[in-house]
Amino acid sequence: MIYLVELMIKLLGLGWYSFRQNSWNIYDLIVVVGGAVTTLPMLAGQRSQGIIEAQKVLLTAICFKLVQKSDSLNQLFKTM
């Protein structure tokens, strides 16, 4: 929920045009919304294997948000 709030604040503050100029913002949008979408069925008690695997991938991808804060890791991530 914290990441969704952060995403909404960024989107409202920057506007869509400025928001999409930074590729990290698009990454955040995809990963955070995907993580929230896969978490909702889990909270509702639906535990299919596909949802579980998708949630694992997306929640792991959220950890890569920390790469933004480190210049050397950010350069490595952009190179990949």
Side-chain angles (χ1 to χ4, degrees):
M1 292 306 288
I2 293 172
Y3 289 122
L4 281 172
V5 171
E6 176 199 12
L7 188 66
M8 294 305 292
I9 290 171
K10 268 194 216 179
L11 188 55
L12 291 172
L14 294 173
W16 174 248
Y17 182 76
S18 295
F19 181 83
R20 69 184 177 130
Q21 296 299 316
N22 186 343
S23 58
W24 279 112
N25 288 339
I26 301 300
Y27 176 83
D28 290 348
L29 179 69
I30 292 168
V31 170
V32 170
V33 171
V37 167
T38 58
T39 299
L40 293 176
M42 296 287 289
L43 293 174
Q46 217 176 13
R47 301 200 185 274
S48 71
Q49 191 62 31
I51 293 174
I52 292 171
E53 294 302 319
Q55 186 182 36
K56 285 179 188 177
V57 169
L58 290 165
L59 293 179
T60 302
I62 287 174
C63 293
F64 283 114
K65 286 175 56 75
L66 299 174
V67 171
Q68 296 172 332
K69 307 300 180 201
S70 172
D71 290 332
S72 59
L73 289 176
N74 190 10
Q75 183 63 35
L76 178 65
F77 191 72
K78 285 182 178 180
T79 302
M80 293 189 316

